[in-house]
């Protein structure tokens, strides 16, 4: 049950696109409804799939559920970024959280997000995403350093609550005002159903947010946990290779848009410290006769090489006038605006509770991190050379 007077009012956006994930979608929504800190609402944004839109509208047609779960059509072009922007435009909460449609959140997920917003300068908080392998266990050759390939938290991120360059979109939250300052997710890249798994829309947005609000703080709290399903096809080396190549292409566009210094600052530490340690660990395991050690070392080397190739090609394309990405302000829909004053009144009444939560929250580490019914109108203006990111190191 939602609590419209919560001082930490969360709108949770889940973008969906295929009936093949029907049971996963229901499980994701159910995990949000069972949160220890109830959200104001859950927004299911359907990406240009009329049959799925009808089924979900019927599923949550019960009067008791309609205020908890709202079903919307993606108001923009096909793709994850437009779906997220549609959800943001319709949101009523002070905070907007994003959950993948094939993931389930642990019960205190939103509670840990809320506790991290202990100052007005905190503009985004991400969490820890754990893989749920279809086979029941991690493939022996699959290095933890590359878990971002399957949309999960990768080895190399520091533990606890830490400051980061960008959050990962499948398990993230933002102040609603962050989008007022920086605009929405850039369109033109990012996920589009089952097409080539490009990403980086979160990275581009977070870098743009930091430029718009120089004092902004972005965090990851590893206690805000979700479990992300990894289907069998993504356990294969062919998918691994395709995904890292696409990441290289995407990173080139980010660097072209925001500059290599900002666009690649996380990747420098990752490639010079985290990955070499992973190779040495894999070789050491192989020498000790442990299963998968050589495969993990080889996968890391292959991943770096293929990503570098994608980056080189992406850079060349960008210099020759490759794809440009548009982003702009997101205007609230009439429905969300009408509810906004109610939410604000509730937040004001709960301000004392908010102060208590802030004082009681864990201290933030200062270590920097080098690191996813009727359609509302989403207004996207001036085209800029922007770029995106999904599950990225």
């Amino acid at each position: 049950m939602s609590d419209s007077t919560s001082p930490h009012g969360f709108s949770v956006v889940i973008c969906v696109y295929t009936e093949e994930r029907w049971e996963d979608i229901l499980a994701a929504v159910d995990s949000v409804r069972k949160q220890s800190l109830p959200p104001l609402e859950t927004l299911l944004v359907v990406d240009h799939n009329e049959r799925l839109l009808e089924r979900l509208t019927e599923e949550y047609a019960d009067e008791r559920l309609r205020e908890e779960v709202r079903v919307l059509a993606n108001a923009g072009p096909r793709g994850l970024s437009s779906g997220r922007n549609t959800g943001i435009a319709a949101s009523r909460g002070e905070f907007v959280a994003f959950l993948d449609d094939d993931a389930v959140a642990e019960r205190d997920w939103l509670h840990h997000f809320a506790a991290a917003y202990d100052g007005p300068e905190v503009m985004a908080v991400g969490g820890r995403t754990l893989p749920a392998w279809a086979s029941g266990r991690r493939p022996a050759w699959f290095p933890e350093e590359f878990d971002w390939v399957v949309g999960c938290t990768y080895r190399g991120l520091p533990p606890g609550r830490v400051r980061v360059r960008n959050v990962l979109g499948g398990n993230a939250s933002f102040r609603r005002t962050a989008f007022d300052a920086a605009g929405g997710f850039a369109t033109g890249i990012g996920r589009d159903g089952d097409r080539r798994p490009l990403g980086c829309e979160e990275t581009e947005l977070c870098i743009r947010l930091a430029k718009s609000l120089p004092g902004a703080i972005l965090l990851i709290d590893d206690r805000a946990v979700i479990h992300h399903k990894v289907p069998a096809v993504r356990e294969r080396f062919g998918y691994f290779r395709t995904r890292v190549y696409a990441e290289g292409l995407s990173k080139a566009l980010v660097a072209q848009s925001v500059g290599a210094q900002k666009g690649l600052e996380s990747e420098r530490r990752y490639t010079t410290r985290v990955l070499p340690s992973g190779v040495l660990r894999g070789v050491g395991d192989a020498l000790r006769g442990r299963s998968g050690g050589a495969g993990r070392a080889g996968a890391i080397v292959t991943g770096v090489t293929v990503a570098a190739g994608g980056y080189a090609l992406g850079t060349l394309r960008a210099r020759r006038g490759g794809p440009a990405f548009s982003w702009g302000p997101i205007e609230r829909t009439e429905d969300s605006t009408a509810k906004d004053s109610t939410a604000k009144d509730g937040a004001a009444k709960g301000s004392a509770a908010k102060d208590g939560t802030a004082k009681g929250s864990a201290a933030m580490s200062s270590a920097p991190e080098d690191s996813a019914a009727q359609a509302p109108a989403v207004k996207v203006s001036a085209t800029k050379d922007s770029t995106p990111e999904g599950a990225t190191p």
Side-chain angles (χ1 to χ4, degrees):
M1 176 129 354
S2 62
D3 177 7
S4 61
T5 65
S6 169
H8 289 295
F10 279 86
S11 296
V12 178
V13 176
I14 303 174
C15 296
V16 303
Y17 71 97
T18 176
E19 290 183 85
E20 293 178 6
R21 291 186 177 180
W22 178 256
E23 295 301 326
D24 295 337
I25 295 168
L26 299 186
V29 173
D30 190 54
S31 74
V32 174
R33 295 185 65 220
K34 292 179 178 177
Q35 288 294 298
S36 60
L37 177 66
L40 292 175
E41 60 187 349
T42 300
L43 303 175
L44 283 172
V45 183
V46 183
D47 193 13
H48 298 273
N49 185 326
E50 288 299 324
R51 173 58 183 156
L52 180 57
L53 182 67
E54 292 171 3
R55 285 187 69 184
L56 288 171
T57 300
E58 183 178 349
E59 179 73 20
Y60 296 104
D62 183 274
E63 185 176 352
R64 182 176 59 87
L65 295 177
R66 268 202 304 262
E67 283 299 306
E68 289 187 47
V69 182
R70 290 197 286 150
V71 181
L72 311 169
N74 181 359
R78 185 183 300 274
L80 180 57
S81 290
S82 291
R84 287 173 174 167
N85 290 341
T86 297
I88 295 164
S91 65
R92 303 166 181 166
E94 181 184 357
F95 306 96
V96 182
F98 299 95
L99 178 67
D100 276 348
D101 64 343
D102 54 353
V104 293
E106 292 192 359
R107 190 169 184 272
D108 290 332
W109 178 60
L110 289 179
H111 168 77
H112 290 301
F113 276 172
Y117 286 101
D118 57 1
E121 69 281 359
V122 180
M123 299 304 294
V125 180
R128 180 160 54 113
T129 303
L130 301 178
W133 303 96
S135 62
R137 63 178 181 176
R138 173 187 299 275
W141 62 269
F142 202 113
E144 292 181 14
E145 292 81 359
F146 275 81
D147 276 5
W148 57 265
V149 165
V150 291
C152 296
T153 302
Y154 57 93
R155 186 169 190 158
L157 284 172
R161 186 190 293 173
V162 295
R163 192 167 181 174
V164 294
R165 177 193 67 179
N166 63 275
V167 295
L168 307 184
N171 179 9
S173 65
F174 293 82
R175 285 190 189 274
R176 179 60 179 79
T177 53
F179 303 107
D180 296 334
F185 288 91
T187 58
I189 197 171
R191 297 265 176 175
D192 178 0
D194 290 320
R195 296 183 183 179
R196 173 172 284 171
L198 295 173
C200 295
E201 61 273 13
E202 294 93 348
T203 295
E204 190 277 332
L205 172 63
C206 289
I207 293 174
R208 184 172 7 114
L209 174 60
K211 284 185 173 182
S212 300
L213 299 173
I217 292 175
L218 289 73
L219 304 172
I220 284 181
D221 189 330
D222 67 2
R223 296 170 299 173
V225 177
I226 70 168
H227 299 264
H228 184 245
K229 292 184 71 171
V230 182
V233 67
R234 297 187 182 183
E235 295 185 10
R236 299 171 186 164
F237 187 73
Y239 178 83
F240 176 90
R241 188 177 59 238
T242 299
R243 179 67 183 87
V244 296
Y245 175 72
E247 186 70 10
L249 291 173
S250 302
K251 279 288 168 35
L253 296 170
V254 171
Q256 182 75 8
S257 172
V258 303
Q261 181 176 357
K262 281 291 183 185
L264 299 176
E265 63 181 356
S266 305
E267 290 69 21
R268 292 190 185 94
R269 174 185 176 276
Y270 177 72
T271 56
T272 59
R273 297 185 189 179
V274 175
L275 295 185
S277 296
V279 172
L280 291 175
R281 192 178 303 109
V283 171
D285 286 346
L287 293 176
R288 295 181 185 92
R290 296 174 182 169
S291 173
R296 289 192 296 275
I300 291 174
V301 173
T302 300
V304 172
T305 303
V306 173
Y311 181 82
L313 181 58
T315 300
L316 182 61
R317 287 177 177 174
R319 289 175 178 172
R320 291 180 175 178
F325 311 109
S326 63
W327 57 265
I330 297 179
E331 296 186 0
R332 296 182 187 235
T333 62
E334 289 184 10
D335 188 45
S336 65
T337 303
K339 299 287 184 177
D340 191 48
S341 59
T342 302
K344 285 182 178 177
D345 289 344
K349 292 176 183 177
S351 61
K354 181 174 181 179
D355 291 342
T357 302
K359 290 176 183 177
S361 62
M364 181 189 75
S365 168
S366 61
E369 164 50 22
D370 297 323
S371 352
Q374 189 64 277
V378 177
K379 202 167 188 180
V380 179
S381 62
T383 299
K384 301 201 178 210
D385 287 334
S386 4
T387 6
E389 158 147 13
T392 168

